[in-house]
Amino acid sequence: MDFSFSEEQLMIQNAAQEFAQQHCLPGVIERDENQLFPKEQIKSLATLGFMGMMVDPKYGGSGLDTLSYVLAMEEISKVEASVSVCMSVNNSLVCWGLEHFGNEEQKQRLLPRIAAGGIASLAITEPHAGSDATGMKLSFTPDGDDIIVNGSKIFISNGDVADL
């Protein structure tokens, strides 16, 4: 069995490493110390197609494999965790779920926006359950054109900067 990376995977890894060095490293300590969101780095990351790496190209994504995604995440995480967390929320937590469980209207409406660099958010952490999704108690009930939400969250990943 061959465990070597493909040429495309190595190219993705190298592109991520170059991106991290050129776009993330300058100012990383200042952004971290001042708790500044890396908005410019995220915009630049989107131009590489890394905000929707595994999303099907028919929805505006790059259509890459999981290993390419992991290699890119690893290289960016080495330099700036904040950028890699945002990339992870978009790819793993939002795009993957939408693409696998969303209806066609949701996929067509949301995936292209996210893959193009729209910052997505995820609300999972609750006071009594932490990040254990099986212990979540928040509920929602459709009410005409509205949705009634009951419960509380303590952390919403990208919540204060999200586009959707």
Side-chain angles (χ1 to χ4, degrees):
M1 185 172 240
D2 183 10
F3 289 103
S4 58
F5 299 133
S6 71
E7 189 174 319
E8 181 181 44
Q9 290 165 337
L10 291 171
M11 189 174 69
I12 296 297
Q13 182 183 36
N14 288 335
Q17 183 180 49
E18 286 178 25
F19 172 85
Q21 293 298 313
Q22 293 175 6
H23 296 276
C24 296
L25 188 58
V28 67
I29 301 301
E30 179 186 352
R31 286 188 299 279
D32 187 53
E33 288 176 349
N34 295 307
Q35 300 178 16
L36 300 172
F37 184 77
K39 193 165 188 100
E40 292 307 312
Q41 288 71 23
I42 299 303
K43 284 183 184 177
S44 297
L45 192 63
T47 63
L48 291 176
F50 282 12
M51 294 302 279
M53 289 187 77
M54 297 179 292
V55 173
D56 190 309
K58 73 180 179 181
Y59 300 117
S62 300
L64 296 170
D65 64 299
T66 305
L67 189 52
S68 294
Y69 166 62
V70 170
L71 290 169
M73 282 290 301
E74 182 179 49
E75 293 302 324
I76 292 167
S77 296
K78 288 178 186 177
V79 177
E80 189 165 9
S82 296
V83 173
S84 68
V85 166
C86 189
M87 182 178 160
S88 172
V89 168
N90 265 35
N91 283 286
S92 301
L93 303 175
V94 178
C95 289
W96 188 88
L98 273 171
E99 191 159 6
H100 288 85
F101 301 106
N103 63 42
E104 192 60 30
E105 185 276 328
Q106 292 168 328
K107 292 176 190 181
Q108 289 181 14
R109 180 171 45 91
L110 299 171
L111 287 173
R113 288 175 53 200
I114 300 169
I119 299 170
S121 66
L122 178 76
I124 192 170
T125 309
E126 295 185 353
H128 61 279
S131 294
D132 175 13
T134 62
M136 291 175 27
K137 299 213 183 303
L138 184 125
S139 64
F140 69 92
T141 307
D143 183 22
D145 290 337
D146 298 319
I147 295 175
I148 298 171
V149 179
N150 290 305
S152 63
K153 299 291 180 178
I154 55 175
F155 299 114
I156 300 176
S157 300
N158 296 333
D160 58 340
V161 295
D163 298 309
L164 56 136

